[in-house]
Amino acid sequence: MNILKTLLIKCSVLPYPIDRQQAENLNQHYEREDIPSLIILKPNCEILTSETDEELISTNAIEKWTESKTVFWTPESRNSSGQVWLDIYCRTCYMKPLVGERYGCPNRECSYDLCAECYHKITKENEHNHELIHFLSPKNKYSIEQLLDYSDLISNQNERVTLKSYEGKYIGLYFSGLWCQTNENFASDLAQVYEKVIEINLPFDIIFISTDNSQNMFNKHCQQMPWKILPFDNYVTKLRLKTYFSVSILPAFIILKPTGELLTKSGQRDINIKKIEAIQTWCKDEKVEHSSDDFVWSSVTCDGCGMMPLIGKRFYCETCSNYDICTASKEKGHEHELILIAPLDEID
Ligand SMILES: [Zn+2]
Ligand SMILES: [Zn+2]
Ligand SMILES: [Zn+2]
Ligand SMILES: [Zn+2]
């Protein structure tokens, strides 16, 4: 929006003398919510673009508009057999959404991405300030080594471990940070289950991928971890994995087959409910099945007994609104009719 303000100041904007009602009508016609807002019309009054604050990132925006072209362009769908990166565009050719291989700056503030063609045309003069990384396409399959970029791991004693020791094993990628409040219970559940894995010698291992903000927090977090850890400074691999598996809710526990293929993203829920049984199921190359009696409503509290999260059948009262209770609380009685809510589908 700042760029837009600058533009309005730089260009000689001619105020159009209209009254409040006319302004209101225009506003309604173009469905404007935010101001300042700039809409580009063609000479025949058709809208050329209203994505102007984004388009103004290009210094050629006005030139393009006067040629009746928009800055952003969308590749034709028949050519787009590659990954479609929604909301991501190429900072050089302005392909939007970016399709195919994606190279990007790991610093989120930059929000700088390039398509393959533009990436290979980089010269010393137009180089970005930071080194760009090659993102893994969620459409493609990768081996465990490729996913982890052949990086070494460390133990909590800081000993190096190569990925070779993971051959033939099912892998749980454990994403979390010490700042993450719901992590503590899960971490202790996981540690107990892991002890069992070693004891009965299951072909399963865990790799921790930290989202801690500092090396100190990371060290503190890793102290108690019996499994292997991706080193803190390997932020490139971390970012690539987070993007590849679109990890947004933490802690996350993502289960991979020995080939690197995804088995399930619901590892955390499965461990919560089934403990070691979950891992035994994964090692048979199967997903864990849940009945509605053990479904965990992760962000719902029972308004009857206070159970948090609510586990099992969830009943909702439309009259009270925002009122959910568990089976036990329902049996104690409620003055209105209750609706049974169906568990959400697998989050995979
Ligand atoms: Zn490009
Ligand atoms: Zn950057
Ligand atoms: Zn209850
Ligand atoms: Zn009610």
Side-chain angles (χ1 to χ4, degrees), residues 90 92-95 114-115 117-118:
C90 173
T92 299
C93 70
Y94 297 99
M95 182 200 322
L114 292 180
C115 71
E117 208 180 319
C118 296

Side-chain angles (χ1 to χ4, degrees), residues 9-42:
I9 293 162
K10 272 192 191 159
C11 290
S12 48
V13 177
L14 295 176
Y16 188 69
I18 51 172
D19 61 30
R20 260 198 163 276
Q21 187 54 49
Q22 284 170 307
E24 193 59 36
N25 291 347
L26 278 175
N27 215 8
Q28 250 173 22
H29 181 71
Y30 292 112
E31 294 174 337
R32 293 290 90 187
E33 273 165 15
D34 300 321
I35 48 168
S37 168
L38 180 67
I39 299 171
I40 308 302
L41 303 179
K42 296 182 194 175

Side-chain angles (χ1 to χ4, degrees), residues 105-107 110-112 128-132:
C105 176
N107 299 311
C110 290
S111 73
Y112 187 93
H128 181 64
N129 294 341
H130 310 114
E131 200 172 321
L132 303 184

Side-chain angles (χ1 to χ4, degrees), residues 45-110:
C45 281
E46 262 174 44
I47 295 180
L48 178 63
T49 177
S50 52
E51 281 183 280
T52 43
D53 40 329
E54 268 199 298
E55 295 221 338
L56 280 165
I57 286 169
S58 156
T59 45
N60 296 332
I62 296 182
E63 233 166 72
K64 288 267 183 191
W65 296 337
T66 52
E67 291 164 10
S68 231
K69 288 179 191 148
T70 54
V71 172
F72 292 123
W73 61 281
T74 312
E76 281 182 45
S77 54
R78 62 191 151 88
N79 297 332
S80 58
S81 57
Q83 179 70 36
V84 178
W85 300 90
L86 288 177
D87 298 325
I88 304 290
Y89 63 90
C90 173
R91 274 293 267 269
T92 299
C93 70
Y94 297 99
M95 182 200 322
K96 185 186 181 187
L98 195 155
V99 175
E101 302 294 313
R102 170 186 170 196
Y103 297 82
C105 176
N107 299 311
R108 211 186 305 168
E109 313 84 69
C110 290

Side-chain angles (χ1 to χ4, degrees), residues 265-334:
K265 284 188 183 178
S266 314
Q268 195 219 351
R269 190 181 74 189
D270 296 349
I271 291 284
N272 270 340
I273 298 166
K274 302 275 181 173
K275 309 284 188 275
I276 186 72
E277 238 182 84
I279 297 183
Q280 286 166 323
T281 308
W282 298 330
C283 289
K284 284 185 240 156
D285 222 49
E286 287 165 17
K287 286 190 186 194
V288 175
E289 304 273 345
H290 296 286
S291 71
S292 60
D293 290 330
D294 57 20
F295 189 83
V296 179
W297 300 88
S298 53
S299 57
V300 181
T301 308
C302 172
D303 291 304
C305 66
M307 180 189 349
M308 167 70 197
L310 194 155
I311 298 176
K313 288 202 177 77
R314 169 185 170 190
F315 298 91
Y316 177 74
C317 176
E318 265 188 326
T319 318
C320 295
S321 95
N322 207 358
Y323 187 91
D324 299 276
I325 54 174
C326 69
T327 309
S329 299
K330 180 195 169 243
E331 271 155 20
K332 288 187 187 144
H334 180 74

